[in-house]
């Protein structure tokens, strides 16, 4: 059976650097609090002149395709992971197909938030293993800056998120390099504790718009009550997410290792979703991994959700910290809850 290997990788972050001190202009927070609780020093925000989740994703994708020695027309399938799409629908995948002038290939958007990229890698891997596709473009991209509550009310969420994109090209190979296994999980019991409820069809939306006038319909989509109650912004019970994350990260990494008869010491590079530096450090400690085997860049980019794993993977690779034959572990946990891991022989 074919395997899928990472043939090309790319990243993009906006030029616009926002430091912790910059955020103190909008909300009651401090550089000290943010660094101590999250490890974040700065993040990037998209510029105001047309930079979107898709344009950032395309920049990362272009680099990944070039890196793989391919042309956009060589790609057989697109998978785009994001929670901040340009449009409510259609997804960003079709916009990539259009802008890169690709063939009329399939395009799939994945909405799995922080674990979206690892889920996307897993989906791509299945298509390649079955022989259906040879070259798959996988993108993770987010423009969080558009949808954050920048007042003190939203500070527990807003200080941690940033914008950016990462992408890989997965390619069919007969060698023993590439993805060894992927492991996907969910538990919807706590779906609402890290969620953005609107726009959505949950209980505050009701039926037939013909029964309502324009003002009433507008109110259903974006009412003052929604703004006042911060219902148009992400909500998070950070402590509850933190507690679950530090259990599920090691669990799903252990599952990937066990599936391949390996031990934590066999990992050459762990690339965890960049949720909080303290989470990565606790996971590192539980697995007894030395500093050089865990890659973190949350200090510079904050939490970029679906983009965080490919951004960190790109930088680890670009800095020469991942070499051919290395065992690389990707792991993510986030909203849903959903969590996932992928083990790769580089
Ligand atoms: O990738 C998606 C998954 N998300 C995560 O993995 C996030 C996991 N959770 C976390 O990273 C942390 O829970 C946070 C960084 C979000 C929050 O850190 P914490 O240590 O759990 O703080 P907390 O929510 O318990 O809040 C402690 C205090 C509170 O004040 P009082 O009640 O003790 O007076 C907060 O109001 O810190 C206050 N606070 C802030 N103060 C300054 C909350 N946010 C801020 C802020 N600046 N930005």
């Amino acid at each position: 059976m074919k395997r899928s290997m990472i043939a090309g990788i790319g990243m993009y972050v906006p030029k616009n650097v926002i430091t912790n001190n910059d955020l103190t202009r909008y909300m009651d927070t401090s550089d000290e609090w943010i660094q101590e609780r999250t490890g974040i020093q700065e993040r990037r925000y998209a510029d105001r002149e047309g930079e979107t989740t898709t344009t950032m994703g395309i920049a990362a994708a272009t680099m990944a395709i070039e890196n793989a020695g391919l042309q956009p027309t060589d790609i057989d399938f697109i998978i785009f992971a994001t929670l901040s799409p340009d449009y409510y629908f259609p997804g960003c995948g079709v916009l990539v197909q259009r802008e890169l002038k690709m063939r009329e290939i399939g395009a799939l958007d994945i909405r799995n938030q922080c674990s979206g990229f690892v889920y996307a890698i897993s989906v791509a891997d299945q298509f390649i293993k079955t022989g259906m596709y040879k070259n798959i473009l996988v993108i993770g991209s987010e423009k969080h800056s558009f949808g954050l509550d920048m007042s003190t009310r939203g500070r527990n969420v807003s200080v941690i998120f940033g914008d950016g994109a990462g992408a890989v090209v997965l390619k069919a190979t007969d060698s023993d390099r590439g993805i060894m296994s992927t492991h996907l999980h969910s538990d919807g019991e706590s779906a609402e504790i890290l969620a953005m409820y609107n726009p959505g069809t949950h209980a505050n939306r009701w039926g037939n718009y013909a029964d309502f006038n324009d003002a009433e319909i507008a109110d259903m989509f974006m009412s003052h009550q929604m703004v006042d109650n911060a219902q148009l912004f992400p909500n998070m019970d950070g402590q509850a997410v933190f507690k679950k994350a530090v259990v599920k990260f090691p669990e799903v990494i252990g599952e990937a290792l066990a599936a391949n008869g390996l031990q934590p010491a066999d990992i050459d590079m762990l690339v965890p979703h960049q949720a909080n530096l303290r989470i990565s450090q606790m996971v590192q400690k539980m697995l007894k991994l030395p500093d050089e085997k865990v890659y973190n860049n949350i200090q510079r980019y904050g939490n970029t959700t679906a983009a965080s794993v490919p951004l960190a993977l790109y930088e680890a690779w670009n800095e020469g910290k991942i070499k051919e034959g290395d065992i690389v572990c990707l792991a993510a946990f986030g909203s849903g809850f959903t969590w996932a891991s992928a083990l790769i022989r580089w």
Side-chain angles (χ1 to χ4, degrees), residues 59-124:
T62 303
M63 198 169 166
I65 293 168
E66 274 173 24
N67 227 296
L70 298 174
Q71 301 293 325
T73 45
D74 295 322
I75 300 295
D76 302 314
F77 194 64
I78 304 161
I79 309 181
F80 200 119
T82 187
L83 66 68
S84 50
D86 293 29
Y87 304 134
Y88 188 56
F89 71 85
C92 297
V94 297
L95 305 179
V96 173
Q97 185 277 338
R98 178 177 71 189
E99 296 307 316
L100 290 183
K101 300 184 173 41
M102 297 161 108
R103 290 177 287 125
E104 291 179 351
I105 55 174
L108 172 71
D109 270 45
I110 289 196
R111 295 189 50 188
N112 266 61
Q113 299 72 248
C114 303
S115 66
F117 184 80
V118 185
Y119 263 72
I121 288 279
S122 179
V123 172

Side-chain angles (χ1 to χ4, degrees), residues 28-30 33-34 37-38 114 155-156 159-161 194 236 238-239 241-242 273 275-276 278-279 303 333-334:
D28 179 13
T29 190
S30 65
W33 190 96
I34 300 171
R37 305 286 177 128
T38 71
C114 303
R155 65 183 179 177
N156 68 318
V159 300
I160 66 179
F161 289 107
L194 175 45
M236 178 171 74
Q239 285 199 12
V241 179
F242 195 106
H273 162 54
N276 182 320
R278 287 192 295 142
I279 294 177
N303 179 344
F333 175 89

